[in-house]
Amino acid sequence: MKPLDIIVCVKLVPKPEEVTVNAETRTLDRAKARSALNPPDMNAIEMALGLRERHGGTVSLLSMGPPFAAPYLQVGLAMGADHAYLLSDRLLGGADTLPTSLALAKGIAKIGEWDLVLCGEESSDGATGQVPQGIAEWLGCSQITYAMDLSFLPDGRLRGEREIRGGHEVVAVPLPAVVSVKLAVNEPRFMDMERRRNPEAVTIWSAADLGVDPKWLGFEGSPTVVGAVWQAKSPERQRQFLDGTPQEKARLLAEQIRRML
Amino acid sequence: MIPSAYSPEEARGLWVFLEQEAGRLEGVALELLGKGRELAQARGVPLTGLLLGQGVEPAAREAIAHGADDVVVADDPLLAVYTTDAYASVAAQVILDRKPETLLLGATPNGRDLAGRLAVRLRTGLTADCTGLAWEEGTGLLLGEVSGFGGGVMASIKCARHRPQMATVRPGIFPPPSADPDRAGRMEFVPVSLDAAKIRTEILERVRHEGVDITRAKVLVAGGRGVKGDFAPLTEIARLLGGEVGASRVACDLGWIGRDRQIGQTGFVTRPKVALVCGISGATQFTVGVKDAGLIIAINSDPEASIFEEADLCVVDDLFPVLEALIAELRGAA
Ligand SMILES: Cc1cc2nc3c(=O)[nH]c(=O)nc-3n(C[C@H](O)[C@H](O)[C@H](O)COP(=O)(O)OP(=O)(O)OC[C@H]3O[C@@H](n4cnc5c(N)ncnc54)[C@H](O)[C@@H]3O)c2cc1C
Ligand SMILES: Nc1ncnc2c1ncn2[C@@H]1O[C@H](COP(=O)(O)O)[C@@H](O)[C@H]1O
């Protein structure tokens, strides 16, 4: 098999536990939250690096986000990726999945040589796993979502095991292809400080570099809008500790369960 | 703005995508018909099912019995098993032809695989993994309620000018409606012209474990590493209460029980009336899957286990004698 050129889409997200809702303005308070690479994307990077070990080739990271995402992409370079590209421009801000997948597809086309695009299953800050399919559609190529394992058939097609409801299936698709990697299917490797010391610089592209009508990008290009935002409340739990012998506890449990049914 | 394929003025009707497996409607398809019926009625529009498959006429009848006014059926051997190319191509064609105002799909792996692809092909907005749906007052726009940031933040999303307004809906949120076999409805078969050479996905192997759907269980008896491989007492309690057995990821990873019973972030999000959580420590990746249960009971030998923070009734004990006593208690009552 010929070496593979893989692009991994990675997103910078605020750490979920540090994001709060401002009760007065009913908007998200992201300012206080620290950022991290979207954890599911680490699984995609790990899968890409594993494929490169087996087949040779290159792994490039691609992200759309604010300028301060660049140092986080260095983390991916320190894990072993070869190149990193950041699409960063005010015009790209506030994008929902339609313009996000468009911008990423244009970024992928601009990188040029590629066989495979890997994405995480979903971004932890709200969107839920729709961008990879969108990228595949803009690029007009085949897709495998929720992939747990990737390999190649003797005829060069990509073989993927993917999740379906209540089971799994094994599919084959031709390259080029876009794949979303099922969350937690592997253990992302640590970064290597030796690489870290002298990693390649991150290439930064603006909206103009993508050659798309700016009206199709960012907030302006987004068909959906967020209305209200509020803090989720889970039911208050009683946290009542039961005393007694196992029999006494079981009697109480049976009583409480019956009351609920 | 990316232009919409058709305008709000031209659009009409509420459509639900009817996911099926081997000619039988999936649970989430029934749930969408139930909620769809209510939404369609409120807005005074017909409820249409979109059904793709092979030999799916009985499923179309099932959909009518569960609330559809009409069912648009594409029946073809190339639609027998889901593939992105075949389903997206047929669905896009029918939608561009009929111009529905709203399209709901189940947020199952294949429902999402299709929705994400279709939304871009149709150049429209998609609200993913909704846990609630309503019409906005005044505008009549669909409001999709979604959660983000690990479930901590809720938001409502709408799609103002693009049609169809698309949403995927999490399974297990809406109750399935009861069937009325005498309900009248129309079934319409549309011509399918698929080219086998253009379907790029080949299915090499497919495994489905029939039957279990823990998202619909009224009672969930969940076990983790603490059950040490012995799910027998949990199974018996689930049987006595008419519920299902669930599990933590660790219990599934160890091969003690099937993956289709895994609760949590990488498993299923459930909302049973009662969750009996046995020998599970209570990591957030697990608790997001039961936090909306009516009553949470935790049994754990470690008084410091974090599951007790999330439980109504807390039993600090070895789980086996407690479950044994509970079985005796429930049998005695039977
Ligand atoms: C990205 C990601 C996604 C994940 N997704 C999920 C998910 O979807 N679902 C999920 O469950 N986990 C998930 N996890 C794993 C999660 O973090 C925990 O590791 C897992 O839930 C722990 O399972 P457990 O509670 O069964 O095991 P443990 O944490 O080992 O806990 C076992 C518990 O059993 C108790 N115990 C032992 N013996 C007895 C006894 N005889 N009687 C009573 N109690 C006893 C112990 O005190 C302990 O509290 C995910 C992790 C990651 C990183
Ligand atoms: N802004 C972005 N930059 C790079 N990749 C992204 C971006 N948004 C989404 N993705 C990729 O698409 C996957 C699914 O995201 P989402 O559809 O937003 O849940 C993520 O795990 C990333 O791999």
Side-chain angles (χ1 to χ4, degrees), chain B residues 297-316:
Chain B
I297 301 169
I299 310 178
N300 196 306
S301 48
D302 173 8
E304 302 294 324
S306 61
I307 190 68
F308 291 132
E309 314 267 323
E310 309 285 337
D312 296 295
L313 301 175
C314 308
V315 178
V316 181

mmCIF file of all heavy atoms in Angstrom, chain B residues 297-316:
data_model
loop_
_atom_site.group_PDB
_atom_site.id
_atom_site.type_symbol
_atom_site.label_atom_id
_atom_site.label_comp_id
_atom_site.label_asym_id
_atom_site.label_seq_id
_atom_site.Cartn_x
_atom_site.Cartn_y
_atom_site.Cartn_z
ATOM 1 N N ILE B 297 -31.132 4.496 43.419
ATOM 2 C CA ILE B 297 -30.694 3.751 44.592
ATOM 3 C C ILE B 297 -29.274 3.284 44.316
ATOM 4 O O ILE B 297 -29.000 2.744 43.240
ATOM 5 C CB ILE B 297 -31.589 2.512 44.818
ATOM 6 C CG1 ILE B 297 -33.053 2.937 45.003
ATOM 7 C CG2 ILE B 297 -31.096 1.705 46.019
ATOM 8 C CD1 ILE B 297 -34.029 1.761 44.959
ATOM 9 N N ALA B 298 -28.367 3.518 45.274
ATOM 10 C CA ALA B 298 -26.991 3.069 45.077
ATOM 11 C C ALA B 298 -26.601 2.084 46.161
ATOM 12 O O ALA B 298 -26.862 2.326 47.344
ATOM 13 C CB ALA B 298 -26.043 4.265 45.080
ATOM 14 N N ILE B 299 -26.012 0.986 45.746
ATOM 15 C CA ILE B 299 -25.456 0.032 46.706
ATOM 16 C C ILE B 299 -23.967 -0.066 46.427
ATOM 17 O O ILE B 299 -23.553 -0.427 45.318
ATOM 18 C CB ILE B 299 -26.091 -1.377 46.565
ATOM 19 C CG1 ILE B 299 -27.615 -1.281 46.548
ATOM 20 C CG2 ILE B 299 -25.616 -2.283 47.703
ATOM 21 C CD1 ILE B 299 -28.319 -2.627 46.352
ATOM 22 N N ASN B 300 -23.164 0.268 47.429
ATOM 23 C CA ASN B 300 -21.717 0.244 47.245
ATOM 24 C C ASN B 300 -21.072 0.024 48.612
ATOM 25 O O ASN B 300 -21.512 0.603 49.605
ATOM 26 C CB ASN B 300 -21.259 1.575 46.623
ATOM 27 C CG ASN B 300 -19.866 1.483 46.044
ATOM 28 O OD1 ASN B 300 -18.926 1.084 46.732
ATOM 29 N ND2 ASN B 300 -19.742 1.828 44.764
ATOM 30 N N SER B 301 -20.032 -0.802 48.643
ATOM 31 C CA SER B 301 -19.392 -1.097 49.938
ATOM 32 C C SER B 301 -18.496 0.043 50.406
ATOM 33 O O SER B 301 -18.095 0.087 51.571
ATOM 34 C CB SER B 301 -18.593 -2.399 49.830
ATOM 35 O OG SER B 301 -17.797 -2.374 48.673
ATOM 36 N N ASP B 302 -18.184 0.964 49.520
ATOM 37 C CA ASP B 302 -17.299 2.075 49.885
ATOM 38 C C ASP B 302 -18.131 3.314 50.223
ATOM 39 O O ASP B 302 -18.757 3.902 49.347
ATOM 40 C CB ASP B 302 -16.374 2.356 48.687
ATOM 41 C CG ASP B 302 -15.521 3.592 48.892
ATOM 42 O OD1 ASP B 302 -15.531 4.148 50.011
ATOM 43 O OD2 ASP B 302 -14.856 4.004 47.924
ATOM 44 N N PRO B 303 -18.137 3.721 51.512
ATOM 45 C CA PRO B 303 -18.973 4.870 51.901
ATOM 46 C C PRO B 303 -18.570 6.165 51.191
ATOM 47 O O PRO B 303 -19.358 7.099 51.110
ATOM 48 C CB PRO B 303 -18.772 4.985 53.416
ATOM 49 C CG PRO B 303 -17.570 4.185 53.734
ATOM 50 C CD PRO B 303 -17.400 3.166 52.657
ATOM 51 N N GLU B 304 -17.348 6.211 50.659
ATOM 52 C CA GLU B 304 -16.867 7.427 49.990
ATOM 53 C C GLU B 304 -17.215 7.435 48.499
ATOM 54 O O GLU B 304 -16.873 8.394 47.799
ATOM 55 C CB GLU B 304 -15.336 7.531 50.123
ATOM 56 C CG GLU B 304 -14.813 7.556 51.558
ATOM 57 C CD GLU B 304 -15.263 8.819 52.280
ATOM 58 O OE1 GLU B 304 -15.316 9.869 51.615
ATOM 59 O OE2 GLU B 304 -15.589 8.721 53.482
ATOM 60 N N ALA B 305 -17.824 6.376 47.996
ATOM 61 C CA ALA B 305 -18.071 6.293 46.553
ATOM 62 C C ALA B 305 -18.902 7.499 46.087
ATOM 63 O O ALA B 305 -19.873 7.891 46.740
ATOM 64 C CB ALA B 305 -18.793 4.998 46.207
ATOM 65 N N SER B 306 -18.509 8.091 44.950
ATOM 66 C CA SER B 306 -19.173 9.332 44.531
ATOM 67 C C SER B 306 -20.595 9.082 44.038
ATOM 68 O O SER B 306 -21.383 10.023 43.930
ATOM 69 C CB SER B 306 -18.351 10.056 43.464
ATOM 70 O OG SER B 306 -18.215 9.260 42.330
ATOM 71 N N ILE B 307 -20.970 7.848 43.772
ATOM 72 C CA ILE B 307 -22.336 7.556 43.349
ATOM 73 C C ILE B 307 -23.331 7.999 44.421
ATOM 74 O O ILE B 307 -24.467 8.374 44.114
ATOM 75 C CB ILE B 307 -22.514 6.040 43.020
ATOM 76 C CG1 ILE B 307 -23.867 5.771 42.352
ATOM 77 C CG2 ILE B 307 -22.377 5.161 44.263
ATOM 78 C CD1 ILE B 307 -24.024 6.346 40.979
ATOM 79 N N PHE B 308 -22.910 8.001 45.689
ATOM 80 C CA PHE B 308 -23.830 8.388 46.760
ATOM 81 C C PHE B 308 -24.227 9.874 46.684
ATOM 82 O O PHE B 308 -25.254 10.268 47.211
ATOM 83 C CB PHE B 308 -23.234 8.063 48.133
ATOM 84 C CG PHE B 308 -23.146 6.576 48.402
ATOM 85 C CD1 PHE B 308 -21.988 6.000 48.896
ATOM 86 C CD2 PHE B 308 -24.236 5.749 48.142
ATOM 87 C CE1 PHE B 308 -21.903 4.633 49.133
ATOM 88 C CE2 PHE B 308 -24.160 4.368 48.374
ATOM 89 C CZ PHE B 308 -22.997 3.815 48.870
ATOM 90 N N GLU B 309 -23.400 10.682 46.006
ATOM 91 C CA GLU B 309 -23.753 12.097 45.804
ATOM 92 C C GLU B 309 -24.968 12.229 44.887
ATOM 93 O O GLU B 309 -25.673 13.229 44.909
ATOM 94 C CB GLU B 309 -22.610 12.858 45.113
ATOM 95 C CG GLU B 309 -21.237 12.598 45.683
ATOM 96 C CD GLU B 309 -20.883 13.615 46.744
ATOM 97 O OE1 GLU B 309 -21.272 14.774 46.545
ATOM 98 O OE2 GLU B 309 -20.255 13.224 47.743
ATOM 99 N N GLU B 310 -25.157 11.212 44.048
ATOM 100 C CA GLU B 310 -26.176 11.293 42.993
ATOM 101 C C GLU B 310 -27.378 10.411 43.304
ATOM 102 O O GLU B 310 -28.203 10.188 42.439
ATOM 103 C CB GLU B 310 -25.579 10.805 41.669
ATOM 104 C CG GLU B 310 -24.270 11.453 41.276
ATOM 105 C CD GLU B 310 -24.462 12.858 40.767
ATOM 106 O OE1 GLU B 310 -25.578 13.177 40.321
ATOM 107 O OE2 GLU B 310 -23.499 13.637 40.838
ATOM 108 N N ALA B 311 -27.445 9.864 44.537
ATOM 109 C CA ALA B 311 -28.480 8.867 44.818
ATOM 110 C C ALA B 311 -29.510 9.391 45.813
ATOM 111 O O ALA B 311 -29.222 10.251 46.638
ATOM 112 C CB ALA B 311 -27.839 7.593 45.354
ATOM 113 N N ASP B 312 -30.724 8.845 45.710
ATOM 114 C CA ASP B 312 -31.758 9.157 46.689
ATOM 115 C C ASP B 312 -31.615 8.249 47.901
ATOM 116 O O ASP B 312 -31.676 8.696 49.040
ATOM 117 C CB ASP B 312 -33.145 8.965 46.058
ATOM 118 C CG ASP B 312 -33.368 9.928 44.920
ATOM 119 O OD1 ASP B 312 -33.403 11.137 45.181
ATOM 120 O OD2 ASP B 312 -33.475 9.473 43.766
ATOM 121 N N LEU B 313 -31.470 6.962 47.632
ATOM 122 C CA LEU B 313 -31.327 5.993 48.718
ATOM 123 C C LEU B 313 -29.938 5.383 48.632
ATOM 124 O O LEU B 313 -29.547 4.863 47.584
ATOM 125 C CB LEU B 313 -32.401 4.907 48.592
ATOM 126 C CG LEU B 313 -33.852 5.416 48.638
ATOM 127 C CD1 LEU B 313 -34.830 4.279 48.386
ATOM 128 C CD2 LEU B 313 -34.141 6.075 49.984
ATOM 129 N N CYS B 314 -29.204 5.470 49.748
ATOM 130 C CA CYS B 314 -27.808 5.065 49.737
ATOM 131 C C CYS B 314 -27.623 3.874 50.660
ATOM 132 O O CYS B 314 -27.960 3.937 51.841
ATOM 133 C CB CYS B 314 -26.920 6.209 50.213
ATOM 134 S SG CYS B 314 -27.220 7.756 49.325
ATOM 135 N N VAL B 315 -27.093 2.790 50.126
ATOM 136 C CA VAL B 315 -26.870 1.590 50.921
ATOM 137 C C VAL B 315 -25.377 1.290 50.920
ATOM 138 O O VAL B 315 -24.820 0.907 49.892
ATOM 139 C CB VAL B 315 -27.659 0.393 50.344
ATOM 140 C CG1 VAL B 315 -27.375 -0.867 51.158
ATOM 141 C CG2 VAL B 315 -29.144 0.701 50.309
ATOM 142 N N VAL B 316 -24.739 1.494 52.080
ATOM 143 C CA VAL B 316 -23.318 1.176 52.191
ATOM 144 C C VAL B 316 -23.226 -0.261 52.669
ATOM 145 O O VAL B 316 -23.467 -0.556 53.843
ATOM 146 C CB VAL B 316 -22.613 2.119 53.192
ATOM 147 C CG1 VAL B 316 -21.125 1.776 53.268
ATOM 148 C CG2 VAL B 316 -22.813 3.563 52.800
#
